[in-house]
Amino acid sequence: MEKIHLSEVLTHLGENRTEYFNAIAPPVIQSSNFMFADLKELRSAFSDELQHHVYTRGNNPTVAILREKLAALEGTEDALVFSSGAGAIAAAVIGNVQAGDHVICQQAPYSWTSALLRKLLARFGVSHSFVDGTDVENIKAAIQPNTKVLYLESPNTFTFDCQDLESCAALARAHGLVSIIDNSYASPIFQNPASFGIDVVLHSGTKYLNGHSDVVVGVLCANKAMVRKIFESELMTLGGILGPHDAALVLRGLRTLELRVKRSDENARFLIQQLENHPKVARIWHPFHPSFSQQSLARKQMRGCGGLFSVAFHADSFEQMEAFIHRIQRFLMAVSWGGHESLMMPSIGFYNIPGRENPPAHWNFVRFYAGLEDPAWLWEDLEQALVGL
Ligand SMILES: *Cc1c(COP(=O)(O)O)cnc(C)c1O
């Protein structure tokens, strides 16, 4: 597909301003349904609810502007939006399997993606294999006669394991599998999996795309046929749609997508530079860091990384690690990422929760997200917190 300039996409694409009083900001068409002038119009609209305005579960003008921009950002023919990233992931996988089928998934996906395969789809007779996708040979070895979907998440969001997108897409094509990727980590600014031949590109738009920590949204980008299939089945029947007001907020977020993602990327790299020589730092995880085993693959398929990185600290005891975490003030302790605010997710927080297994990451591990603040101000905070660790 012809690539549209990023600035054109973020600022103008899909915005037919003459249709709404030349307003710069698109209107929020807060209407559940749309009327027909006559029966001819009604029949024509009912023949294609994806294109026409019938009912907001199917199509809404504000949401349609967002869909057009998102498809252009990923270089696909079309896109759908959902009420959450999890909703988009479920629709993409469910839309491409039936009872008796098998899904191959990289070994450490987003937790609810794992739950979709282990718990929900297992109830409907869809089996799965989790494989170490850092080597495409492992994926090849896991293909069964009934495998229908190859599900990737590259990089994932704690240790940033990557899959070779070009090889995975070729493998999927050769075996008739639908290749799906969760591209939330890199955002469309830094990685476009469709350009490597991946069929379905998903995002938790809650992260960078909206970018202001005030909307939960999911995105699915694919060719027209795939989008129509998932629209007619999963989107319309499961009904996990994005409302027009949230769509307008995401459109506003997109205005600054490039600026925000690049700023987070720079801030993360600044913080890593400060941290890597600190005596209390044991290890750093970041796809472009010299110590990262897949650095050359990451640099081949991504133009940058964004704000996420992980650090293992030298801590002598659980108590010492807890005290360190509690001294950090400017990184909010919270899930998610991709917003304006810097965050941290300490692995130690997942320990000693009744009924919950300890996470694979050791208790000295912290996943950080660098937001949009002054990086020197952020470092000042980490530096003071490190005293006494
Ligand atoms: C947050 C996240 C999701 C889920 O998205 P929601 O919008 O929270 O439903 C999926 N994948 C990744 C990598 C995520 O970080």
Side-chain angles (χ1 to χ4, degrees):
M1 278 187 65
E2 192 194 336
K3 188 103 178 135
I4 307 170
H5 196 287
L6 181 59
S7 297
E8 173 72 21
V9 176
L10 299 183
T11 313
H12 300 300
L13 184 75
E15 300 182 65
N16 300 317
R17 296 185 167 109
T18 52
E19 288 178 9
Y20 38 83
F21 312 104
N22 294 319
I24 300 294
V28 181
I29 308 289
Q30 193 77 37
S31 185
S32 57
N33 46 357
F34 300 85
M35 63 165 230
F36 310 105
D38 54 31
L39 288 167
K40 186 165 168 273
E41 252 188 29
L42 181 148
R43 289 187 187 112
S44 146
F46 273 36
S47 72
D48 185 359
E49 289 202 37
L50 179 59
Q51 301 297 337
H52 293 90
H53 295 125
V54 176
Y55 188 57
T56 279
R57 175 152 44 80
N59 192 4
N60 172 282
T62 310
V63 176
I65 298 173
L66 177 61
R67 285 177 42 215
E68 190 170 348
K69 286 187 192 289
L70 293 167
L73 284 174
E74 282 297 7
T76 59
E77 289 174 355
D78 206 347
L80 293 172
V81 287
F82 295 81
S83 50
S84 70
I89 292 165
V93 178
I94 293 170
N96 286 293
V97 292
Q98 59 186 31
D101 288 348
H102 173 251
V103 176
I104 297 173
C105 182
Q106 71 89 8
Q107 66 184 353
Y110 179 69
S111 55
W112 293 101
T113 304
S114 166
L116 171 74
L117 296 173
R118 287 184 295 106
K119 297 182 178 166
L120 195 146
L121 282 173
R123 282 176 24 222
F124 297 93
V126 175
S127 60
H128 63 269
S129 306
F130 288 113
V131 301
D132 176 355
T134 56
D135 184 347
V136 73
E137 291 303 319
N138 297 336
I139 296 173
K140 198 170 179 181
I143 297 176
Q144 301 175 8
N146 58 338
T147 305
K148 292 288 158 54
V149 165
L150 171 57
Y151 189 96
L152 310 173
E153 189 180 312
S154 179
N156 64 359
T157 57
F158 273 85
T159 49
F160 318 121
D161 300 352
C162 295
Q163 295 96 57
D164 184 324
L165 302 187
E166 206 170 350
S167 309
C168 286
L171 183 68
R173 186 152 310 126
H175 290 83
L177 319 181
V178 174
S179 53
I180 302 176
I181 186 170
D182 183 333
N183 197 34
S184 304
Y185 170 93
S187 92
I189 299 298
F190 288 147
Q191 179 170 270
N192 298 118
S195 71
F196 296 101
I198 301 293
D199 299 315
V200 181
V201 182
L202 305 171
H203 286 278
S204 168
T206 312
K207 313 295 164 50
Y208 291 120
L209 296 173
N210 179 58
H212 292 73
S213 305
D214 52 10
V215 176
V216 175
V217 50
V219 176
L220 183 159
C221 300
N223 67 24
K224 280 192 190 328
M226 178 67 74
V227 162
R228 183 168 289 280
K229 179 170 93 157
I230 290 171
F231 168 79
E232 286 173 355
S233 179
E234 285 66 37
L235 191 119
M236 289 301 271
T237 54
L238 299 176
I241 63 151
L242 190 73
H245 202 99
D246 279 348
L249 286 172
V250 181
L251 281 167
R252 180 160 73 171
L254 287 184
R255 304 295 189 200
T256 54
L257 177 68
E258 184 184 14
L259 290 174
R260 289 185 287 100
V261 176
K262 288 183 174 168
R263 169 71 174 210
S264 276
D265 185 56
E266 284 165 19
N267 281 1
R269 286 197 241 190
F270 174 85
L271 292 168
I272 287 167
Q273 257 174 24
Q274 306 305 311
L275 283 162
E276 65 191 351
N277 297 317
H278 197 285
K280 291 294 171 191
V281 169
R283 185 173 166 193
I284 290 174
W285 285 261
H286 181 265
F288 283 9
H289 195 263
S291 69
F292 190 70
S293 63
Q294 294 183 288
Q295 190 202 173
S296 64
L297 175 65
R299 286 186 186 272
K300 181 182 145 220
Q301 51 196 31
M302 291 197 294
R303 298 177 287 272
C305 293
L308 289 177
F309 61 96
S310 298
V311 184
F313 294 94
H314 289 299
D316 295 331
S317 67
F318 218 77
E319 292 69 30
Q320 215 186 44
M321 189 68 194
E322 287 198 356
F324 163 61
I325 293 299
H326 286 141
R327 281 194 296 273
I328 300 174
Q329 298 296 315
R330 296 175 186 172
F331 292 75
L332 307 178
M333 196 176 354
V335 296
S336 200
W337 45 272
H340 55 90
E341 76 290 7
S342 290
L343 302 169
M344 62 172 172
M345 239 318 117
S347 178
I348 202 168
F350 294 98
Y351 279 71
N352 300 335
I353 303 174
R356 194 163 176 153
E357 286 170 37
N358 281 347
H362 194 253
W363 53 262
N364 67 349
F365 178 100
V366 184
R367 199 270 310 269
F368 290 97
Y369 166 67
L372 309 180
E373 305 92 330
D374 176 354
W377 181 79
L378 291 171
W379 170 240
E380 201 177 83
D381 186 38
L382 289 183
E383 199 175 25
Q384 65 77 27
L386 279 161
V387 176
L389 182 65

